[in-house]
């Protein structure tokens, strides 16, 4: 099990685990007296308990085999290691599919809350439910694999196939740095040509996935996804909308300021002051975060007065030392040191003799103590913060290692990402002074620049994080039909983000599919929720630490009382519904976006003042 930093992409495990294998039941499962294939006799609670115990053991063993194979594949990329990893993953998926189907035999039985929860989690562990029909299952598997493959191979060749072609990474670099309106438009349109070829496949994919979900007792695939949040699917949709309404005023203030500054830069003809912002003007292929245009929006006096990247380089900081800083943060809270195997088996730098997957990720190889970090560390401020984030995942993994296998995960899929980001929020100027990386905390006059830069990452993401699954839920439910896929996508982007495409679009296009998580069937609500929860966690921990200043200046470094509170929640894993885990840490049983409002309060006031002037 691993968790990747950021939200722009996930590694292959995330994608693979969401593809249902077409394998038939293995003989061992078919002969299992607890499986639906083995008997028509009415089951009882004792059989259900035995079934779950055997299922947990089987999944535990298979997942360890896959984790080891996948680690080798990610740190030593060859055709052979890719095949070995895929084969091990296929075994995990096949077993999970079989066991989830077999568990339906126990529906309607009166079971203990613990046993009922494990059976529910087993059934909901699949993101892509497959139809029972073998031919349809094969078809769904092929479509799912081909869409992700087509996305991964996507490129743009400005001068045709014979000229130099640009990868997505190349195009993202241009989107980040270029200020040439025509170049930005050309690159945006170039990338969005990758998805129309699999638009028809996506339509069939939706039909087959929905059939599988209905066979498992859900209205559609979207309802199945929402059922994972310990509440009724419709109630979860209402909860997300409530959170969005809480943060909407903050986003609107940031949006208005950003639109005006971009209009100053590009002119009103290209960025109208009273219209939608063109999607290609915000420094990101999907306009999901705007930090790359900070230089165009930077307020006067916003310089913090120090450059952490240069400080780290001047001190000849090595990658392992950067990780030691992160470990010291956790030990200061009362957590144990990382195990010796972490330092022996992690990958901190890019090898010179082979290809590796450099994207930062935290690994839990044996689901107990063999945690690892895989990251090609660069000595800069971004990676300093990323290390703290990734170790948040590792310490979460170690905290719930004593739970039964089906509970060795975060309280819901947003909690893991939120915990990593919560720790990163404590990487503040006061923290840097405490560990002697800077001599003094910058004057408060520089705080607006810091908050604006962080808001362009955190706040700007919120509506995008919300709308991706809004679109998919409506597609799965049939509210959005195939004939209006693209229109509905841009209607939602206009409604929530205030974003417009750089050129007219039609139903020949498939712009939603130009986002990895749509092509690879990765649910996205977790990222929206994580963006909310991290501030709620941060505020609660700062209160526990007795901090009384502005929330954005708080770091819980060195506070064992806060560490004890944090560890108590982490150790629960997935054993209890997430509202109970949330209450353990925050004394609140509902997600609450007022914490992000508190955090950015000084910036909101400043933005409103700037907007009034304009």
């Amino acid at each position: 099990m691993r968790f990747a930093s950021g939200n722009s992409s996930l590694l292959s495990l995330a994608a693979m685990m969401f593809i249902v294998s077409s394998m038939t039941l293995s003989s061992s499962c078919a002969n299992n007296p607890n499986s639906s294939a083995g008997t028509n006799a009415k089951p009882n609670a004792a059989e259900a308990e035995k079934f779950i115990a055997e299922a947990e053991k089987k999944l535990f063993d298979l997942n360890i085999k896959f984790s080891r194979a996948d680690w080798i594949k990610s740190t030593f990329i060859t055709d052979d290691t890719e095949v070995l990893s895929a084969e091990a993953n296929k075994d995990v998926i096949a077993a999970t599919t079989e066991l989830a189907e077999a568990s339906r035999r126990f529906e309607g039985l009166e079971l203990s809350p613990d046993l009922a929860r494990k059976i529910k989690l087993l059934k909901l562990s699949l993101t892509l439910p497959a139809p029972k029909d073998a031919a349809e299952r094969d078809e769904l598997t092929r479509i799912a694999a081909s869409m992700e493959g087509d996305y991964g191979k996507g490129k743009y060749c400005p001068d045709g196939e014979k000229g130099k072609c640009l990868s997505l990474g190349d195009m993202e670099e241009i989107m980040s740095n270029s200020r040439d309106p025509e170049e930005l438009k050309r690159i945006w349109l170039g990338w969005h040509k990758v998805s129309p070829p699999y638009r028809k496949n996506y339509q069939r994919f939706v039909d087959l996935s929905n059939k599988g979900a209905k066979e498992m007792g859900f209205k559609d695939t979207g309802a199945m996804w929402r059922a994972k949040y310990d509440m009724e699917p419709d109630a979860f949709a209402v909860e997300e909308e409530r959170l969005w309404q809480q943060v909407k005023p903050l986003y609107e203030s940031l949006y208005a300021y950003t639109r005006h500054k971009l209009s100053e830069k590009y002119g009103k003809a290209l960025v109208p002051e009273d219209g939608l912002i063109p999607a290609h003007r915000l420094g990101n292929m999907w306009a999901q975060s705007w930090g790359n245009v900070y230089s165009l929006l930077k307020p006067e006096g916003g310089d913090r007065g120090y450059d952490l990247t240069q400080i780290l380089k001047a001190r000849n900081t090595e990658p392992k030392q950067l990780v030691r800083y992160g470990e010291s943060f956790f030990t200061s809270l009362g957590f144990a040191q990382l195990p010796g195997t972490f330092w022996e088996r992690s990958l901190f730098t890019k090898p010179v003799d082979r290809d590796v997957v450099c994207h930062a990720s935290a690994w839990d190889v044996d689901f107990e103590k063999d945690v690892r970090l895989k990251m090609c560390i660069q000595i800069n401020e971004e990676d300093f913060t990323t290390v703290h984030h990734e170790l948040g995942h590792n310490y979460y993994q170690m905290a719930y290692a004593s739970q039964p296998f089906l509970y060795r995960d975060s309280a819901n899929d947003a909690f893991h990402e939120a915990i990593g980001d919560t720790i990163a929020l404590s990487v503040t100027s006061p923290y840097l002074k405490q560990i002697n990386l800077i001599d003094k905390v910058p004057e408060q006059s520089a705080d607006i620049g810091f908050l604006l830069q962080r808001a362009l990452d955190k706040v700007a993401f919120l509506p995008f994080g919300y709308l991706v699954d809004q679109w998919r839920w409506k597609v799965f439910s049939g509210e959005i039909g195939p004939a209006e896929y693209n229109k509905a996508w841009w209607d939602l982007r206009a409604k929530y983000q205030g974003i417009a495409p750089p050129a007219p679009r039609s139903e020949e296009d498939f712009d939603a599919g130009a986002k990895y998580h749509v092509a690879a069937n990765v649910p996205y609500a977790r990222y929206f929720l994580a963006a909310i929860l991290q501030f709620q966690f941060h505020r609660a921990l700062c209160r526990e630490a007795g901090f009384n200043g502005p929330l954005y200046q708080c770091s819980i470094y060195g506070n064992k009382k806060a560490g004890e509170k944090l560890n108590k929640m982490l150790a629960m894993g997935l054993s209890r519904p997430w509202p109970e885990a949330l209450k353990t840490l925050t004394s609140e049983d509902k997600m609450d976006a007022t914490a992000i409002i508190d955090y950015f309060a000084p910036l909101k006031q400043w933005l409103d003042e700037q907007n009034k002037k304009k």
Side-chain angles (χ1 to χ4, degrees):
M1 183 180 296
R2 57 183 168 175
F3 296 89
S5 66
N7 52 59
S8 61
S9 65
L10 292 179
L11 299 178
S12 57
L13 172 61
M16 291 178 181
M17 289 298 289
F18 301 143
I19 300 174
V20 181
S21 169
S22 61
M23 293 179 64
T24 57
L25 291 177
S26 65
S27 59
S28 61
C29 273
N31 294 327
N32 186 339
N34 288 327
S35 75
S36 57
T39 179
N40 292 321
K42 187 175 180 179
N44 55 45
E47 289 176 322
E49 189 167 354
K50 181 181 178 184
F51 169 84
I52 282 296
E54 293 175 351
E56 286 194 290
K57 184 180 186 307
K58 182 171 186 177
L59 292 175
F60 177 76
D61 293 340
L62 288 173
N63 272 280
I64 289 179
K65 290 179 182 178
F66 169 59
S67 293
R68 295 193 188 286
D70 204 43
W71 174 265
I72 296 171
K73 183 266 292 183
S74 294
T75 58
F76 203 109
I77 302 174
T78 68
D79 291 342
D80 290 331
T81 59
E82 287 184 348
V83 169
L84 292 172
S85 174
E87 288 296 320
N89 187 48
K90 187 165 66 174
D91 291 343
V92 172
I93 296 170
T96 305
T97 304
E98 296 161 7
L99 292 167
E101 176 62 28
S103 72
R104 296 184 63 188
R105 183 167 178 251
F106 305 107
E107 291 175 355
L109 285 182
E110 187 173 337
L111 304 173
S112 68
D114 180 68
L115 189 55
R117 180 168 180 79
K118 286 184 177 180
I119 289 177
K120 177 184 177 182
L121 292 174
L122 179 60
K123 288 195 294 184
L124 291 174
S125 61
L126 297 170
T127 302
L128 180 55
K132 294 179 181 178
D133 180 82
E136 291 180 328
R137 181 176 290 187
D138 284 346
E139 183 183 4
L140 179 61
T141 302
R142 288 195 302 271
I143 291 173
S146 69
M147 287 195 301
E148 186 189 2
D150 288 346
Y151 182 99
K153 292 179 290 187
K155 57 185 178 180
Y156 168 51
C157 306
D159 300 317
E161 290 293 335
K162 293 183 179 180
K164 179 183 178 182
C165 295
L166 302 175
S167 68
L168 176 58
D170 296 329
M171 289 182 272
E172 286 188 277
E173 186 72 17
I174 295 170
M175 294 292 292
S176 298
N177 298 308
S178 176
R179 299 294 181 255
D180 180 341
E182 287 306 312
E183 181 180 38
L184 291 169
K185 180 179 179 179
R186 185 170 61 251
I187 292 298
W188 190 98
L189 292 172
W191 171 248
H192 282 76
K193 291 178 181 178
V194 72
S195 48
Y198 50 82
R199 178 183 166 123
K200 287 185 178 179
N201 270 349
Y202 191 80
Q203 179 181 341
R204 179 61 174 161
F205 170 89
V206 169
D207 292 340
L208 292 172
S209 176
N210 275 343
K211 183 174 182 181
K214 289 173 182 176
E215 288 175 356
M216 292 185 69
F218 298 95
K219 289 182 181 179
D220 54 60
T221 302
M224 182 177 175
W225 288 2
R226 298 193 299 276
K228 296 182 179 184
Y229 290 94
D230 295 306
M231 60 176 65
E232 290 298 316
D234 290 345
F236 177 72
V238 171
E239 182 70 359
E240 272 213 316
E241 176 64 21
R242 179 184 66 81
L243 293 169
W244 165 244
Q245 291 299 328
Q246 283 186 295
V247 298
K248 185 179 177 182
L250 175 59
Y251 175 77
E252 289 177 336
S253 293
L254 178 66
Y255 176 90
Y257 175 79
T258 301
R259 181 174 60 183
H260 174 75
K261 298 296 285 187
L262 292 178
S263 185
E264 284 187 336
K265 165 66 178 177
Y266 292 107
K268 295 180 181 179
L270 296 181
V271 182
E273 285 201 324
D274 57 353
L276 304 177
I277 299 176
H280 61 307
R281 296 277 189 263
L282 290 160
N284 174 271
M285 185 66 76
W286 304 275
Q288 68 182 54
S289 61
W290 307 345
N292 289 322
V293 297
Y294 174 71
S295 61
L296 304 180
L297 316 177
K298 184 177 178 180
E300 292 184 14
D303 189 353
R304 296 176 302 176
Y306 67 87
D307 184 331
L308 183 58
T309 296
Q310 292 306 314
I311 292 170
L312 291 169
K313 289 181 176 179
R315 297 188 180 195
N316 297 317
T317 307
E318 296 184 349
K320 185 174 284 189
Q321 179 56 41
L322 215 65
V323 183
R324 289 289 186 188
Y325 280 121
E327 180 191 41
S328 296
F329 183 94
F330 284 92
T331 57
S332 81
L333 301 179
F335 287 84
Q337 289 184 322
L338 290 162
T341 52
F342 172 89
W343 301 102
E344 297 165 4
R345 300 171 183 174
S346 291
L347 184 144
F348 300 136
T349 58
K350 188 180 188 308
V352 296
D353 61 340
R354 64 183 192 271
D355 291 328
V356 301
V357 178
C358 274
H359 190 75
S361 56
W363 291 63
D364 185 8
V365 175
D366 69 351
F367 298 89
E368 290 181 350
K369 291 295 183 182
D370 189 359
V371 296
R372 306 179 193 179
L373 173 64
K374 180 191 62 59
M375 181 177 175
C376 301
I377 296 174
Q378 302 294 315
I379 304 303
N380 56 40
E381 181 171 4
E382 180 181 358
D383 281 11
F384 181 85
T385 302
T386 298
V387 162
H388 286 71
H389 171 102
E390 295 300 339
L391 293 189
H393 291 308
N394 285 142
Y395 274 96
Y396 205 161
Q397 292 159 346
M398 290 190 292
Y400 57 58
S402 61
Q403 292 284 353
F405 180 72
L406 285 172
Y407 294 158
R408 293 182 195 180
D409 205 344
S410 57
N412 67 36
D413 58 6
F415 270 56
H416 237 301
E417 200 65 28
I419 286 297
D421 281 338
T422 298
I423 300 304
L425 288 176
S426 273
V427 180
T428 62
S429 296
Y431 164 60
L432 297 178
K433 184 177 183 301
Q434 281 183 281
I435 60 175
N436 298 315
L437 281 176
I438 62 175
D439 296 326
K440 63 178 182 178
V441 175
E443 297 294 330
Q444 237 177 337
S445 59
D447 290 351
I448 293 300
F450 162 77
L451 286 171
L452 177 59
Q453 195 161 18
R454 178 152 284 182
L456 293 172
D457 175 28
K458 303 287 188 180
V459 178
F461 172 74
L462 291 168
F464 185 82
Y466 183 45
L467 71 86
V468 172
D469 276 355
Q470 287 289 310
W471 182 83
R472 281 193 290 194
W473 294 346
K474 293 175 186 294
V475 168
F476 285 130
S477 72
E479 183 178 341
I480 295 174
E484 54 182 5
Y485 277 176
N486 222 46
K487 178 183 181 301
W489 173 252
W490 285 106
D491 285 348
L492 287 169
R493 298 202 70 180
K495 176 182 178 180
Y496 291 108
Q497 283 187 289
I499 300 298
R505 311 301 283 164
S506 73
E507 292 305 325
E508 295 296 314
D509 301 304
F510 183 41
D511 293 330
K515 178 65 178 170
Y516 170 82
H517 301 71
V518 173
N521 197 50
V522 179
Y524 213 72
R526 67 185 69 173
Y527 301 112
F528 173 72
L529 297 179
I532 301 293
L533 283 168
Q534 62 186 267
F535 291 94
Q536 192 172 359
F537 292 165
H538 182 62
R539 182 173 65 182
L541 290 169
C542 290
R543 286 174 177 170
E544 190 70 21
F547 183 82
N548 295 314
L551 189 57
Y552 65 87
Q553 290 185 347
C554 171
S555 176
I556 61 170
Y557 174 76
N559 193 286
K560 290 182 169 53
K561 189 177 179 183
E564 183 180 354
K565 190 92 167 181
L566 174 62
N567 188 57
K568 187 176 180 181
M569 192 274 283
L570 300 183
M572 294 171 70
L574 190 52
S575 65
R576 305 297 302 160
W578 67 261
E580 294 184 34
L582 179 64
K583 191 169 185 178
T584 298
L585 180 60
T586 68
S587 300
E588 302 155 350
D589 58 6
K590 292 184 71 175
M591 290 180 281
D592 181 12
T594 61
I596 195 172
I597 304 302
D598 290 349
Y599 188 95
F600 289 105
L603 176 66
K604 175 68 162 62
Q605 181 180 349
W606 182 84
L607 288 170
D608 289 345
E609 291 171 355
Q610 302 306 305
N611 292 333
K612 285 179 182 178
K613 294 176 183 178
K614 308 303 181 184

